[in-house]
Amino acid sequence: MEFLKDRGETIDLGARGSLIITAGGWKSYAKEEIDCESFLSLCGEYLGLRNRMKIRDAFNMVELNTVIFECERGVKHIPPWLVVAALDPENLSPSDPEEMGLLAFFDPLPTSYPGFILSDDFGQVSNMPCMCGRAGPVLQFCRRVKMLEDRGCALKMERGTVVVPDTR
Ligand SMILES: [Zn+2]
């Protein structure tokens, strides 16, 4: 979109029935980060896509074999095979339901290593129903934690601090 803006051009993906899927974080581009509403506005202005239902974000980590996609309502639905827990960053105990916490992922799909990941992302896992009608928990990713190394399960096991979520 910046390229189009610099050239003073636009394209009309909306007329072609297109769908935009975004994934990944800002990482080293954090200083250039824009909020969701600004991004959607630019998609309308430069890409001709103004229908929010046609612009979906996906959450993924390289350590996971699962991608969490937004539904047409812009809500990230956690698939049934993936357990996501929000943990208290002070003691890594499970946060209260609907509370923010350090996100931990329990993904059974990786076969080359244990898919238990304590991320450096803060988020919320909610069981509130979504207007789209899909069932199950949803993820609200909020922000990346600063000053924390990425820690996968193997490293956590070495340190003897693996946390298993209460799935009751
Ligand atoms: Zn939904």
Side-chain angles (χ1 to χ4, degrees):
M1 290 187 280
E2 296 253 330
F3 175 79
L4 291 170
K5 184 178 180 180
D6 290 344
R7 295 175 55 109
E9 296 178 10
T10 62
I11 56 177
D12 191 0
L13 295 178
R16 301 177 191 175
S18 300
L19 174 71
I20 294 175
I21 299 175
T22 57
W26 293 88
K27 298 184 178 70
S28 59
Y29 298 99
K31 290 179 181 169
E32 300 173 51
E33 184 174 351
I34 60 174
D35 61 41
C36 183
E37 291 308 313
S38 300
F39 176 75
L40 295 174
S41 175
L42 289 171
C43 287
E45 187 173 352
Y46 292 101
L47 302 180
L49 255 179
R50 290 177 174 77
N51 183 350
R52 175 65 177 91
M53 293 181 171
K54 297 286 188 176
I55 304 171
R56 312 276 183 94
D57 187 40
F59 178 89
N60 179 245
M61 297 173 60
V62 70
E63 297 91 342
L64 294 177
N65 260 8
T66 300
V67 179
I68 302 173
F69 287 97
E70 280 184 351
C71 68
E72 61 272 24
R73 299 285 180 169
V75 175
K76 291 181 175 71
H77 288 267
I78 300 168
W81 61 86
L82 180 69
V83 174
V84 183
L87 306 179
D88 183 325
E90 294 294 324
N91 56 25
L92 301 183
S93 66
S95 297
D96 292 331
E98 314 298 328
E99 289 290 317
M100 291 273 298
L102 201 55
L103 294 175
F105 298 86
F106 304 83
D107 188 349
L109 299 185
T111 56
S112 58
Y113 58 92
F116 303 160
I117 309 296
L118 179 61
S119 77
D120 56 356
D121 295 325
F122 256 117
Q124 176 188 23
V125 179
S126 173
N127 288 310
M128 298 291 285
C130 180
M131 294 289 287
C132 75
R134 290 178 180 84
V138 300
L139 173 66
Q140 184 174 5
F141 167 72
C142 292
R143 64 183 168 87
R144 185 162 282 260
V145 175
K146 304 281 190 282
M147 310 286 291
L148 185 68
E149 62 186 310
D150 286 327
R151 291 177 292 184
C153 183
L155 195 51
K156 294 294 292 176
M157 283 196 281
E158 271 183 26
R159 294 176 183 169
T161 54
V162 172
V163 176
V164 178
D166 182 356
T167 55
R168 288 175 286 175

